[in-house]
Amino acid sequence: MNGHYDDGGEMVDLNVLQSQRDQSRYTPEPITPLTSRPLIRGPAGFSEESLPSYPSYPSGVSGHMGLTVNRGYGEESVASGDYSRPTTPSLVPFHQNRSSDFSYHSQATLTNLVSKPPSPIFAKEWVEPGSIARIADRDDKEIWRGWKRWLFRAVPFLIFANTALYLLYLALRITCVVFAQQAQHNTFAAAWVFIAIEVATAIPSLMHNGWTMWAMKKRQRPKLRLTGNDVPTVDVFITCAGEDDDVVLDTICGACDVDYPRDRFRVIVLDDGGSETLKASVHHLTSTTYPNLYYMARQKIPGVPHHFKAGNLNYGLEQTHLLPGGPGQFMAALDADMIPEQDWLRAVLPHLLIDDKMALACPPQLFYNTPPSDPLAQSLDFFVHVIEPIKDALNVAWCTGSGYVVRREALDDIGNFPLGSLAEDVATSTMMLGKGWKTAYVHEPLQFGTVPEDFGSHLKQRTRWAIGTIETAIKLNFCLYGDKVKRMTSAQRFSGFLYATLSWYTILLTASLFAIPIILLWGKPLVAFSNMVQLRWLIRACFATTITNRICEFILFIPAGYHTGQRGSRYQLWMAPYIALCIVRSFLLPTWLGGQTQAFKPTGSLSSALEERDPQRRKNLPRRLFTILFNYMAGFHLIFVYATLVGVVLVSYRCFFETSGVKNTLICLVIHAFWPPLTFLFLCTSLWTPIAYAIDPPSMPDREELLKRDPKTGVAHPTERSKKIAFGAQSAWFELEYSLGTIFTILVFVWSFWL
């Protein structure tokens, strides 16, 4: 028997559960299965005459807010936009559950929802009374468990010990430099610069460690499911702007196919790209299979700001007032490429229904096309599996942009989605927290999308996030003061301040990177001391700091995976120049010097059409190298690595040929370039990432090979294998490098006893 065990040992028969779900899902008759991709892409013989006329609106809706019907193309023009839909069965339940004033105050209308007896299958001891079932005490029960959870509890104590040891080591380094200068009447400038660089590269880690200290607070987020058919109405928005039709259509079909009564939710495609082929395909799906599917495209007037995704979402919110029955009680949103799992709405909605102050609940963004080894650190696993759960424990959960469900009253309270930001999701959840609302992070795998498939798109995405976070922070005074954040807790204020500061910090980090090759070429000692006793204790303090840091990292990265955490550390270094450049252009440079708020754009005429992950169509090696080095400005990374390695070679040459005796040579090497744990090696391999990517980009199969498609309905979901990141050669290489650095640190520590 196919079953699932809860924390207390009770077993739920999943076969019976699926049967109940199948009976609860409303299926219109007749159904025309989508048996081939051409039907999804657009009906054959599509023409204006083939589109039926629009149904009339119910009493109390027609004409509201200046609605006009244009029969010229069988569609309606609503509020200077494009709202099109063929004749379909009217969604009567939406209308019957709404009065003419379009009230959607969810808590007032859902009072009885959580007071009814649970469905018989959920009538167990571990089920709370009502139609919301408590499946488990933890929503992440299926993600990670056992010894890993017990070990993770030691994280706060390890972080405290690691931070304390690092500060002691830093104090010892500074003291030794001061004593050396007094003893030799000389200034060790290189030693001071090296200390500054070590501090600069350690600050992001220390700040993150300070935040993760809050892991001491136990997270209390149960795994819930909304049962039965008496459920709230939901408007599901799918925002798109020029993505491939087949990608968007897979998301549309997945959203329409969720386990939720068909007459209780609508799927609304908000097409900012104005694709005629997508509109035709949505018409076909509406008329043949999904009567609750709508297509909308707003009109963009040249010269008038349209506010990107936030403007598109606000347009959709306005248009729901003109649909039959008015707006839904809740609004949900999906990115164009995010395919929801069937449990999506039933898993997320309960967290809003059990707490009338819960404004928004959001699951993690997970991906099914991440290449082996994830060379560009695109998976976000460390953020979604480590950082967000800690933020959720402190009631600081961010909206991550897709898969979230939001209470309409909360959106009204902040004036809908805030405009003027490249990160409307972060701005929305932050402003809700400032108004006293709560946000929740539902740590379940409920949606899977695609990462950018080329280097340029990845840079644009990540720099846009950084700029959007800073824009939001500036408008909210870095969450420190002001009316918009006056109801935030201290933890919420600290979180908002921290993540904005980390983005600004990339400027300092990039500047410090320039100093590495300079001091190596300079040839001066990086570590100063006045006697051998000081050198011995410096090495031992460095050993203690390095080893505790390795242990701390290993345990801290457990929820996301050890290699994921290491990728994130390298990503912070090689991505810093790009983020710093965009921040300087957006917030520091005046317009007449080229300043403008935008994400990273390649220079020159070449675009990101390298198709580097397609083994058949990728551009040749010279073209890839030229584009990434010059158009994507990775020349800085190449110069840094080359100059650093030249400096290491020159220093080593001097140590071998300008000193006598094995002991003196080894001391010279250690204090000039090879100070443990070989910082220069970690920096070089991290900064080499874009060049390595250009030389040997990962190969990925066609997207269709990563999906399991239902042959009858055409609905696709990622395969289990595609949801996991394969362990590739690059991960093995970095693990070898990291292990060698640790072994080298141990050997130097042992050698210190013979000094």
Side-chain angles (χ1 to χ4, degrees), residues 47-69:
S47 65
E48 295 183 7
E49 290 76 14
S50 67
L51 283 175
S53 60
Y54 271 74
S56 60
Y57 279 82
S59 174
V61 178
S62 178
H64 182 65
M65 294 180 65
L67 173 66
T68 58
V69 179

Side-chain angles (χ1 to χ4, degrees), residues 24-58:
S24 70
R25 294 173 64 184
Y26 165 73
T27 303
E29 296 289 347
I31 292 261
T32 303
L34 298 178
T35 57
S36 65
R37 296 303 292 168
L39 285 178
I40 296 180
R41 296 178 186 274
F46 177 81
S47 65
E48 295 183 7
E49 290 76 14
S50 67
L51 283 175
S53 60
Y54 271 74
S56 60
Y57 279 82

Side-chain angles (χ1 to χ4, degrees), residues 147-158:
W147 64 269
K148 294 181 178 181
R149 295 191 68 88
W150 287 98
L151 200 55
F152 189 75
R153 293 182 181 181
V155 163
F157 308 101
L158 288 171

Side-chain angles (χ1 to χ4, degrees), residues 58-128:
S59 174
V61 178
S62 178
H64 182 65
M65 294 180 65
L67 173 66
T68 58
V69 179
N70 182 353
R71 298 290 183 183
Y73 191 58
E75 61 190 33
E76 301 168 18
S77 175
V78 181
S80 301
D82 178 8
Y83 158 62
S84 54
R85 171 180 174 79
T87 302
T88 57
S90 175
L91 294 179
V92 178
F94 250 96
H95 175 53
Q96 288 180 346
N97 283 280
R98 202 83 71 253
S99 61
S100 60
D101 65 352
F102 305 108
S103 173
Y104 48 72
H105 295 288
S106 53
Q107 200 59 30
T109 57
L110 299 175
T111 304
N112 296 328
L113 184 59
V114 293
S115 61
K116 295 181 180 180
S119 303
I121 189 171
F122 294 107
K124 306 288 183 180
E125 295 178 356
W126 41 269
V127 177
E128 292 184 347

Side-chain angles (χ1 to χ4, degrees), residues 304-554:
V304 178
H306 57 272
H307 299 294
F308 308 105
K309 185 177 177 181
N312 196 16
L313 289 167
N314 285 339
Y315 172 78
L317 290 173
E318 294 170 359
Q319 300 312 305
T320 57
H321 289 273
L322 308 178
L323 295 178
Q329 295 161 304
F330 291 90
M331 188 220 91
L334 290 166
D335 281 349
D337 61 335
M338 277 287 170
I339 302 175
E341 298 288 277
Q342 287 195 316
D343 278 357
W344 168 50
L345 288 178
R346 290 193 181 273
V348 177
L349 265 167
H351 297 277
L352 291 100
L353 298 178
I354 63 176
D355 188 346
D356 61 355
K357 293 301 293 180
M358 187 65 69
L360 179 147
C362 186
Q365 284 198 41
L366 304 173
F367 307 97
Y368 63 88
N369 72 328
T370 308
S373 297
D374 191 14
L376 301 182
Q378 296 177 284
S379 67
L380 298 177
D381 278 1
F382 181 73
F383 180 78
V384 302
H385 294 312
V386 179
I387 299 299
E388 271 286 34
I390 295 175
K391 289 164 67 71
D392 185 41
L394 297 172
N395 300 314
V396 201
W398 270 357
C399 172
T400 54
S402 178
Y404 60 88
V405 180
V406 62
R407 192 183 298 274
R408 293 291 296 258
E409 298 97 308
L411 278 174
D412 283 349
D413 196 22
I414 64 171
N416 290 343
F417 291 94
L419 306 177
S421 174
L422 294 179
E424 83 295 327
D425 45 7
V426 175
T428 299
S429 51
T430 304
M431 291 183 66
M432 287 177 173
L433 293 173
K435 287 282 188 177
W437 292 93
K438 299 177 184 178
T439 56
Y441 180 69
V442 183
H443 198 186
E444 293 188 56
L446 297 171
Q447 60 175 346
F448 289 87
T450 58
V451 299
E453 295 183 342
D454 59 84
F455 187 74
S457 297
H458 172 72
L459 296 183
K460 184 177 181 180
Q461 179 195 67
R462 296 306 175 90
T463 53
R464 184 179 71 247
W465 291 352
I467 293 173
T469 301
I470 293 177
E471 282 178 332
T472 301
I474 291 175
K475 292 178 181 179
L476 299 178
N477 302 315
F478 288 89
C479 299
L480 297 178
Y481 63 93
D483 291 337
K484 294 182 179 179
V485 298
K486 63 181 179 181
R487 301 188 65 180
M488 278 189 175
T489 65
S490 57
Q492 291 168 346
R493 293 173 190 266
F494 175 66
S495 174
F497 175 79
L498 171 66
Y499 283 93
T501 304
L502 284 175
S503 296
W504 277 104
Y505 176 75
T506 56
I507 299 176
L508 176 60
L509 178 59
T510 302
S512 71
L513 290 175
F514 279 103
I516 294 288
I518 294 174
I519 62 174
L520 285 173
L521 292 170
W522 192 2
K524 300 295 184 179
L526 305 180
V527 179
F529 55 93
S530 58
N531 54 63
M532 298 305 294
V533 174
Q534 290 183 4
L535 178 60
R536 285 197 293 267
W537 282 106
L538 280 171
I539 291 174
R540 293 165 187 173
C542 180
F543 165 80
T545 302
T546 302
I547 298 303
T548 55
N549 184 61
R550 295 289 189 268
I551 297 172
C552 184
E553 286 177 341
F554 176 78

Side-chain angles (χ1 to χ4, degrees), residues 189-298:
W192 288 115
V193 174
F194 187 54
I195 289 175
I197 293 171
E198 283 189 319
V199 172
T201 54
I203 283 178
S205 177
L206 291 173
M207 294 181 73
H208 265 298
N209 287 353
W211 173 252
T212 50
M213 280 285 291
W214 293 98
M216 293 180 67
K217 181 176 174 60
K218 188 175 181 180
R219 181 170 174 267
Q220 303 288 346
R221 186 74 62 197
K223 184 175 183 178
L224 305 175
R225 285 297 181 271
L226 184 61
T227 65
N229 293 329
D230 187 7
V231 294
T233 53
V234 184
D235 288 317
V236 178
F237 292 159
I238 298 177
T239 54
C240 50
E243 293 85 357
D244 292 341
D245 282 4
D246 59 344
V247 173
V248 182
L249 288 166
D250 280 337
T251 301
I252 292 171
C253 293
C256 292
D257 192 57
V258 296
D259 179 16
Y260 207 76
R262 187 71 58 83
D263 59 346
R264 305 298 291 172
F265 79 107
R266 292 182 292 225
V267 176
I268 302 171
V269 181
L270 299 175
D271 183 15
D272 249 5
S275 170
E276 290 296 324
T277 55
L278 179 61
K279 177 165 62 174
S281 298
V282 173
H283 282 164
H284 177 72
L285 288 171
T286 304
S287 60
T288 60
T289 311
Y290 304 118
N292 57 339
L293 175 62
Y294 292 74
Y295 175 94
M296 296 182 183
R298 58 178 173 154

